Amino acid sequence: MDDWLIYRGVGEPDPDRIDTLPPPPPWRAFSGEPLPDPVPPIDASSTRRLGSRVGAPPAQDARALDLVNAALYLRRPLLVTGEPGSGKSTLAHSVSYELGLGRVLQWPVVSRTELKDGLYTYDAIGRLQDAQLAERERREPDDIGRYIRLGPLGTALLPTRRPRVLLIDELDKSDIDLPNDLLNVVEEGEFALPELERAADRPGQGEVRVLTHDGRRVPVRDGRVRCHAFPFVVMTSNGERDFPAPLLRRCIHLHLDPPRDERLAAMVQAHFGAGADEGNLDLIGRFTSEDGDGELRPTDQLLNAIYLTQHTVRTDPTRREEIAGLLMRPLDHRRR
């Protein structure tokens, strides 16, 4: 295996490997003063995605490994496209798990999502109500930082010594403006909180502690968040729309094919234990066979079929086949 690879897709944690990451290119170096707070540990959501038995499935191939590592070296977002069930979201968890980069910050995108939703929220109504209460009680109002919470993107841009991992899931479902709105933040690695900028000149307000997306309290100075190490950003897309050229130029593009053969066997083992692929060859064979129109089914169908048949009709081949057939039908509701 190439010595230059930081992420190797082996499914085993190796936190020391990130220390070999070279400095970023001059145009991707940022000046945020590193925070002393430790990165939150990997949580159950990541290990659940990767499978609880043998860690993460391996990366798809040498090309995928090269592109993931290129994004790590160049501090560029990784745009991952592919069919549902091809492992796009899991890739972010796999990198975080293997390199010890902490809990994955997840930003699921819907049609109403705006850039500010990912950066931070400000509870202006709550602050006004508390200020009125404090006036009646003749006490000082609470600090403004109590009413600000950083979103997943805002938290990822905090100046940590090692990059956080941010998953922007299903970006293609967003409003038409969001991909363009992301450009400046992706390029500059910082953003402003106007509510804190206005208060920065007041005594004692130059540094305000705010809540992060993962529940920590961190200082924000002079109303701006400026990263130190640009986060490892994974943007996923099911291909439902095209993205503007300026965004594509700032990303590394990786297309994932649906897992088949060795990758599919490794995925089954990750969730059900060593040898599970050999014990379910009939279901795997049925899953990988294409129907009349050549449709490739999402891997969730296979995992569901294996789990249910293991717990219900393991020793009844006829019922096993019937139940698997119900769970692995084509997704098009018009086809039965």
Side-chain angles (χ1 to χ4, degrees):
M1 184 171 291
D2 293 341
D3 292 338
W4 74 279
L5 297 180
I6 303 301
Y7 168 70
R8 301 178 182 177
V10 296
E12 295 294 336
D14 189 357
D16 294 334
R17 200 178 304 150
I18 194 64
D19 294 333
T20 65
L21 191 64
W27 56 90
R28 298 298 291 165
F30 301 96
S31 59
E33 182 178 348
L35 294 172
D37 300 318
V39 173
I42 297 289
D43 62 0
S45 66
S46 286
T47 54
R48 183 172 63 250
R49 277 186 176 273
L50 300 176
S52 59
R53 301 296 185 92
V54 295
Q60 178 158 324
D61 50 31
R63 175 178 173 275
L65 281 177
D66 286 346
L67 290 171
V68 171
N69 281 276
L72 286 167
Y73 272 78
L74 297 173
R75 312 301 204 271
R76 287 293 185 184
L78 184 70
L79 176 61
V80 187
T81 58
E83 297 293 326
S86 57
K88 300 185 299 296
S89 300
T90 303
L91 182 59
H93 293 268
S94 179
V95 172
S96 179
Y97 179 69
E98 184 172 320
L99 300 183
L101 297 180
R103 184 181 307 163
V104 175
L105 297 161
Q106 301 186 63
W107 184 15
V109 173
V110 297
S111 59
R112 301 177 303 277
T113 300
E114 298 179 352
L115 177 62
K116 189 175 179 181
D117 299 327
L119 293 177
Y120 75 100
T121 57
Y122 172 54
D123 186 3
I125 295 177
R127 189 185 182 201
L128 176 60
Q129 292 173 339
D130 288 351
Q132 293 171 340
L133 180 60
E135 184 177 0
R136 289 197 298 269
E137 295 177 351
R138 300 180 182 277
R139 59 176 175 82
E140 289 294 320
D142 291 326
D143 185 87
I144 188 175
R146 179 182 174 186
Y147 307 96
I148 291 178
R149 179 167 187 160
L150 299 180
L153 175 57
T155 301
L157 290 173
L158 287 169
T160 53
R161 293 188 178 278
R162 297 196 298 176
R164 294 295 303 270
V165 177
L166 170 67
L167 172 62
I168 305 179
D169 212 9
E170 298 191 337
L171 182 61
D172 53 330
K173 287 184 167 54
S174 71
D175 178 85
I176 192 171
D177 292 328
L178 181 59
N180 282 313
D181 293 341
L182 280 168
L183 290 177
N184 187 62
V185 175
V186 166
E187 192 64 23
E188 301 300 328
E190 63 179 86
F191 68 97
L193 295 82
E195 296 83 0
L196 297 187
E197 282 188 318
R198 289 192 293 268
D201 293 335
R202 301 172 190 169
Q205 295 295 309
E207 179 175 295
V208 177
R209 298 186 72 84
V210 302
L211 189 66
T212 68
H213 182 70
D214 47 18
R216 297 172 295 146
R217 288 279 177 186
V218 297
V220 173
R221 299 181 180 90
D222 301 322
R224 298 191 71 84
V225 170
R226 181 180 294 110
C227 73
H228 175 76
F230 192 80
F232 179 68
V233 180
V234 176
M235 303 178 182
T236 72
S237 169
N238 293 326
E240 296 183 6
R241 59 175 291 190
D242 295 327
F243 295 117
L247 178 66
L248 296 177
R249 287 201 305 269
R250 290 166 171 83
C251 296
I252 305 295
H253 182 205
L254 167 63
H255 182 79
L256 288 180
D257 294 321
R260 295 295 184 264
D261 302 326
E262 291 84 359
R263 286 186 67 227
L264 189 59
M267 182 177 293
V268 171
Q269 291 187 56
H271 288 277
F272 298 104
D277 56 322
E278 297 179 0
N280 291 279
L281 290 177
D282 57 334
L283 299 184
I284 294 175
R286 177 169 184 160
F287 173 77
T288 55
S289 63
E290 299 180 349
D291 65 14
D293 292 335
E295 178 187 30
L296 294 176
R297 302 181 178 95
T299 53
D300 284 349
Q301 288 188 340
L302 175 62
L303 298 180
N304 291 340
I306 292 176
Y307 180 85
L308 192 58
T309 55
Q310 280 187 348
H311 287 78
T312 55
V313 292
R314 179 192 294 269
T315 59
D316 187 337
T318 301
R319 287 292 290 149
R320 176 182 169 91
E321 182 72 13
E322 291 175 352
I323 290 176
L326 290 173
L327 294 176
M328 293 194 292
R329 290 181 297 176
L331 296 180
D332 190 336
H333 66 86
R334 294 168 297 183
R335 298 158 62 196
R336 304 295 181 185

